[in-house]
Amino acid sequence: MARALLRAASVIVCVVTAVFFLVRLVPGDPVKMILGEYATLEAIESMRRKLGLDLPLGEQFVRFLRNIVVHGDTGSSIIYETSSRDLILDRAPVTLLLVGMACLLAILLALLLAILAATHKDGPLDHLIRILPAVTLGMPVFWVGLLLIMIFGVQLRWFPVGGAGEGGLDRIYSLTLPAITVAFSQIPSLVRSLRAQMLEVLESDFVVTLKAAGIPGRVILVKHVLRNSALPALMLLGVNTAYLIGGTLVVEQAFGLKGIGSLLFSAISNRDFPVIQGIALYCAFFVVVIGLLVEIASGYLDPRTKGEP
């Protein structure tokens, strides 16, 4: 656990440093974007002093670190003139709910498809499910979202085509189609990993012994096969967390959701680098936390992994 925490801290430090310097390498002057191209030189210099952009880069970095450590903030938004932390936290519930629903759907559907494929090895159903990763892995997530909107939103009218609902069950209902879109990108790799591991476990000696002892196949499948097959898929899902979040931010744009994704695209177009930095850091922190939880869960599923570096 100590090594995992040290790795997590190292990742956060690297992300903090990279985010600060890389954002400032992007072409364009945020002050001129705020004031317009016809702003006077005096107005530009006044705005630079107000935002602290007139300070040396090293002093800006020290201020940046102080704000993160003391306030959990990356500064005030240049466009909205309010705390970037407050802006992000205001949009976070929609994004977090979408990520959670997408993960749940991906796990449930991957489990179902992998079980069907492994228990019908080399049958028509297995071949059909094995084709799934080859067909779907090349589909861009935004294209899948637009396709689902056309079919289930416009033609069948089963789901709304945009918006996050008013809250409660209405919000879950409104986010169902976006969640399916995000989960779609994770299901193929999870199915492939789970199927391969389940076939390996099903052919192992201890499963043969359990069958010979008369233990029902359903009990063997749930209690022994799934538990011994879940670890690689769980590790894969943890590794893909960053891609899952990235896909979520893109899908938010396709479905018109007022989450962190729309805030990020707005901040990028306006060069609102305090907000860009805040979103990058909060997303990195979320990915690191998920990685730690996956490592803890892997230790529970397979105690042998607890001592691995």
Side-chain angles (χ1 to χ4, degrees):
M1 181 59 68
R3 291 181 179 178
L5 291 173
L6 183 60
R7 286 197 299 268
S10 301
V11 170
I12 293 295
V13 169
C14 291
V15 170
V16 167
T17 306
V19 163
F20 176 83
F21 288 102
L22 289 178
V23 168
R24 282 162 173 77
L25 294 176
V26 178
D29 188 343
V31 174
K32 290 183 179 179
M33 296 187 71
I34 296 171
L35 299 177
E37 58 179 319
Y38 300 108
T40 63
L41 184 60
E42 291 78 8
I44 292 175
E45 291 302 322
S46 176
M47 181 61 74
R48 286 189 186 280
R49 286 193 296 271
K50 180 181 177 181
L51 298 176
L53 298 177
D54 60 323
L55 299 172
L57 196 60
E59 190 170 344
Q60 290 184 43
F61 186 55
V62 171
R63 281 191 175 188
F64 178 69
L65 292 178
R66 186 186 304 120
N67 281 333
I68 293 175
V69 174
V70 177
H71 305 291
D73 196 5
T74 53
S76 295
S77 167
I78 295 174
I79 303 301
Y80 299 99
E81 295 185 350
T82 187
S83 167
S84 60
R85 178 194 59 199
D86 293 340
L87 285 172
I88 294 168
L89 293 180
D90 183 59
R91 302 287 189 98
V94 172
T95 301
L96 291 177
L97 180 59
L98 179 56
V99 170
M101 290 176 62
C103 282
L104 182 61
L105 285 172
I107 292 171
L108 291 178
L109 291 175
L111 277 174
L112 175 62
L113 293 174
I115 290 172
L116 290 174
T119 54
H120 296 80
K121 181 183 177 183
D122 295 330
L125 186 59
D126 181 30
H127 289 303
L128 180 63
I129 294 174
R130 289 168 65 184
I131 294 174
L132 177 67
V135 174
T136 59
L137 276 176
M139 295 182 180
V141 65
F142 67 87
W143 183 84
V144 174
L146 294 176
L147 185 64
L148 293 179
I149 288 174
M150 291 177 59
I151 296 174
F152 297 102
V154 177
Q155 295 183 3
L156 298 177
R157 299 184 180 180
W158 289 357
F159 297 98
V161 297
E166 299 298 327
L169 293 177
D170 183 50
R171 173 155 293 183
I172 293 176
Y173 169 68
S174 299
L175 293 180
T176 299
L177 209 56
I180 293 173
T181 304
V182 178
F184 195 84
S185 63
Q186 302 297 316
I187 290 174
S189 56
L190 290 176
V191 170
R192 187 165 53 189
S193 174
L194 269 172
R195 177 190 175 276
Q197 292 298 319
M198 288 182 68
L199 288 176
E200 183 177 341
V201 175
L202 283 170
E203 295 171 358
S204 62
D205 294 337
F206 84 93
V207 172
V208 175
T209 303
L210 291 173
K211 289 179 180 178
I215 297 177
R218 186 172 300 176
V219 175
I220 296 174
L221 182 66
V222 174
K223 190 174 180 180
H224 300 281
V225 176
L226 279 181
R227 177 167 181 171
N228 286 277
S229 305
L231 181 57
L234 181 64
M235 299 294 288
L236 179 63
L237 185 62
V239 170
N240 287 344
T241 301
Y243 299 101
L244 181 69
I245 294 175
T248 300
L249 300 184
V250 173
V251 167
E252 285 182 2
Q253 285 293 98
F255 284 88
L257 302 176
K258 297 297 183 181
I260 292 178
S262 60
L263 180 63
L264 176 62
F265 283 100
S266 173
I268 291 173
S269 61
N270 292 297
R271 285 237 33 217
D272 195 348
F273 55 81
V275 176
I276 299 172
Q277 291 168 334
I279 292 174
L281 291 179
Y282 275 99
C283 288
F285 180 77
F286 182 75
V287 170
V288 169
V289 170
I290 294 298
L292 286 173
L293 293 177
V294 167
E295 189 160 343
I296 293 172
S298 66
Y300 170 75
L301 291 172
D302 188 354
R304 294 172 299 178
T305 63
K306 291 182 178 178
E308 291 183 358

